[in-house]
Amino acid sequence: MSDTNPETTPGTAPEPQNAAINPGSTVSLCIMSGKGGVGKTNLALNLGLCLRDMGHKLLLMDCDLGLANLDVLLGLTPEKNLQDLLGGGVEPADVLLHVEDGLDILPAASGVPELVEMDQNQRDALFESLTDLIKGYAFLLLDLGAGISGTVLALARMAQMRVVLVTPEPTSLTDGYAIIKVLNAKFGVRDFCVVVNQATAKEAQDTFQRLNMACKNFLGFELVHLGHIRLDRTLTQAVIAQTPLARFAPECPAIKDIRVLAERISHYREQNLEAISGRKALKEFLPGATARNP
Ligand SMILES: Nc1ncnc2c1ncn2[C@@H]1O[C@H](COP(=O)(O)OP(=O)(O)OP(=O)(O)O)[C@@H](O)[C@H]1O
Ligand SMILES: [Mg+2]
């Protein structure tokens, strides 16, 4: 895969590349993990910025409802959040935070336990209210909470692409397998991409093989290895500085790896535009129905 990194300077947003974009066809992609703290929110934010730098317009939604922290990574204090939208009387545009040209976020609330578990009616109402807004983006990225709550499973089921983030630690692997198994058992979902975080290429390959073998042997399907992200202490510094890594250190190893993931995901969107267009980004999605995995 070619390296198409734009020239970047720390702290500044590069001009988006002029990629061929069809904004009418939104691809929804969720980032999930069984185990908490494996790097989902940082991946969602930096993947979003890398896709944005490639010219895609995207919406990043903090779906870690009740324990949100996308805004914290950006050093922002949103006035309104998804909780206000659920409560009614607020328009989606009022909740939207403009981060950079081409990247908006929908922040969630923190410390609000009732948001962790939305029922079906609340989910329907939320996505109904977001339908028109979502249409304007090439990608809808969902940063899910860890674990297998009803909200996590419902959102993961509805997304067109599912990225399971694991680390080489055995606990992360068993929890990653658990979330795949539950989604398969409950909803028949069989298409998952895997990203191995905090790993060398060799560790990532070994980790992926173990997870893939378990799925092949016990669930009867295989996974797609989307890539890996190296362990990179710069990420911790970026979190402390409340500046996304893609802007804090745009040429550090972890961002180079995330850029490769962004290129693969962008390629997937282009390959599957025909299948994707005409389908709502979240509702009406039949798992594995039409689009191919990258
Ligand atoms: N590639 C990496 N290299 C070094 N540290 C990392 C890497 N990825 C994640 N981390 C560390 O893991 C921490 C947790 O990351 P993050 O908040 O993105 O995880 P999460 O999966 O969203 O957590 P939660 O399940 O609580 O939502 C980061 O603050 C950072 O210190
Ligand atoms: Mg998180």
Side-chain angles (χ1 to χ4, degrees):
M1 191 157 298
S2 68
D3 189 349
T4 56
N5 297 354
E7 282 296 314
T8 46
T9 325
T12 59
E15 284 299 308
Q17 290 172 29
N18 199 14
I21 286 160
N22 179 350
S25 310
T26 314
V27 169
S28 54
L29 182 156
C30 71
I31 298 174
M32 59 188 192
S33 73
K35 187 171 154 63
V38 296
K40 293 178 297 301
T41 304
N42 278 282
L43 173 59
L45 177 59
N46 289 295
L47 187 61
L49 284 163
C50 290
L51 284 165
R52 174 263 172 217
D53 293 346
M54 293 164 69
H56 294 293
K57 191 173 176 207
L58 69 133
L59 178 60
L60 186 49
M61 186 169 167
D62 195 335
C63 298
D64 199 350
L65 304 169
L67 281 175
N69 50 24
L70 251 181
D71 49 329
V72 180
L73 290 184
L74 284 157
L76 300 173
T77 313
E79 279 178 24
K80 300 238 177 328
N81 57 49
L82 287 168
Q83 188 198 21
D84 299 301
L85 196 59
L86 272 171
V90 167
E91 294 298 314
D94 301 332
V95 178
L96 209 61
L97 269 185
H98 183 68
V99 178
E100 287 179 7
D101 279 352
L103 177 65
D104 295 324
I105 71 168
L106 281 170
S110 225
V112 186
E114 57 269 29
L115 267 187
V116 178
E117 277 301 339
M118 281 190 291
D119 64 28
Q120 181 73 43
N121 290 340
Q122 285 175 307
R123 272 196 299 271
D124 284 352
L126 181 64
F127 286 112
E128 202 55 52
S129 69
L130 293 176
T131 302
D132 285 341
L133 181 78
I134 290 170
K135 275 184 199 153
Y137 295 90
F139 285 100
L140 171 66
L141 293 194
L142 308 174
D143 173 29
L144 301 189
I148 51 174
S149 72
T151 297
V152 165
L153 295 178
L155 292 174
R157 181 199 183 192
M158 285 194 283
Q160 291 160 344
M161 280 185 83
R162 284 164 281 272
V163 172
V164 181
L165 189 63
V166 294
T167 70
E169 290 182 1
T171 43
S172 162
L173 212 55
T174 50
D175 291 359
Y177 175 72
I179 198 168
I180 291 171
K181 185 178 159 187
V182 172
L183 274 162
N184 178 250
K186 271 184 96 119
F187 305 118
V189 181
R190 296 168 69 87
D191 50 340
F192 297 90
C193 299
V194 175
V195 172
V196 185
N197 192 15
Q198 306 183 34
T200 62
K202 169 81 173 67
E203 286 166 342
Q205 193 56 39
D206 292 348
T207 303
F208 174 78
Q209 286 303 346
R210 286 169 64 193
L211 189 55
N212 193 41
M213 282 310 285
C215 289
K216 191 175 170 188
N217 292 339
F218 301 116
L219 304 178
F221 60 86
E222 295 201 50
L223 307 167
V224 174
H225 191 181
L226 197 60
H228 73 283
I229 307 164
R230 281 167 280 180
L231 180 73
D232 186 346
R233 292 291 166 216
T234 324
L235 182 53
T236 315
Q237 295 166 17
V239 172
I240 291 168
Q242 291 185 282
T243 305
L245 188 64
R247 299 294 175 253
F248 184 81
E251 295 306 327
C252 72
I255 275 299
K256 287 186 175 165
D257 296 337
I258 293 173
R259 223 172 259 137
V260 172
L261 300 177
E263 283 169 9
R264 291 183 180 155
I265 289 166
S266 175
H267 181 70
Y268 165 85
R269 182 175 181 278
E270 272 150 41
Q271 295 296 301
N272 291 287
L273 262 187
E274 212 177 307
I276 293 160
S277 45
R279 223 167 55 193
K280 282 189 185 170
L282 285 168
K283 290 175 126 192
E284 298 175 0
F285 174 61
L286 297 173
T290 40
R292 294 195 315 272
N293 277 317

